[in-house]
């Protein structure tokens, strides 16, 4: 798969709430970093966070607006829409993914955390 195909597969896994597929797309030592929090390092840490999310998520749509490659990285502009524990919300997001050998090695996420938490009812 190309890097863009890996990114699309990741977004599709989130849309389907297929957390096993999402986790499998990370490298063993991959990093998931919402930049306003400490990074999650390694599949086990990432899996733990995604399973916490899965416990409350009823639906998620990652509405990709722009997707492309710059300097060997995948850049995505999107609006994440979701249902979480009876609440619905949306948050604009910019993500930057590094991909090697068909696996995400680093995924940086930039969004307004207060908007996300408000949408989640937290």
């Amino acid at each position: 798969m190309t890097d863009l195909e890996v990114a699309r597969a990741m977004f599709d896994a989130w849309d389907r709430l297929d957390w096993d597929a999402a986790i499998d797309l990370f490298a063993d030592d991959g990093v998931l970093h919402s930049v306003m929090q400490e990074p999650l390092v390694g599949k086990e840490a990432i899996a733990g966070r995604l399973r916490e999310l899965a416990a409350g998520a009823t639906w998620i749509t990652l509405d990709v607006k722009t997707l492309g490659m710059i300097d060997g990285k995948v850049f995505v502009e999107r609006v994440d829409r979701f249902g979480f524990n009876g609440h619905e919300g949306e948050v604009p997001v910019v993500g930057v993914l590094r991909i090697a050998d068909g696996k995400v090695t680093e995924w940086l996420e930039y969004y307004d955390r207060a908007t996300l938490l408000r949408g989640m009812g937290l």
Side-chain angles (χ1 to χ4, degrees):
M1 275 196 285
T2 68
D3 291 354
L4 288 175
E5 289 170 334
V6 171
R8 285 186 184 106
M10 179 65 83
F11 306 148
D12 180 61
W14 281 69
D15 285 350
R16 293 181 290 113
L17 304 178
D18 187 345
W19 306 116
D20 290 334
I23 293 162
D24 187 54
L25 286 167
F26 279 96
D28 290 340
D29 60 351
V31 175
L32 177 58
H33 189 187
S34 296
V35 296
M36 66 292 303
Q37 297 181 292
E38 290 297 313
L40 301 167
V41 180
K43 267 190 181 181
E44 186 174 320
I46 293 167
R49 176 67 54 81
L50 293 185
R51 299 220 188 280
E52 286 175 16
L53 177 64
T58 52
W59 62 273
I60 296 175
T61 300
L62 304 187
D63 184 10
V64 175
K65 303 297 185 187
T66 307
L67 181 67
M69 299 287 299
I70 301 173
D71 293 335
K73 300 174 195 169
V74 176
F75 283 74
V76 60
E77 173 195 15
R78 59 181 208 269
V79 176
D80 293 358
R81 295 179 173 84
F82 53 85
F84 187 83
N85 287 336
H87 300 273
E88 293 189 359
E90 66 178 48
V91 62
V93 180
V94 171
V96 181
L97 294 86
R98 292 178 192 258
I99 299 170
D101 301 320
K103 299 290 183 178
V104 175
T105 60
E106 182 181 49
W107 186 356
L108 304 174
E109 291 279 280
Y110 299 88
Y111 56 88
D112 180 66
R113 185 159 170 75
T115 300
L116 174 68
L117 294 177
R118 206 170 28 255
M120 295 172 76
L122 301 174

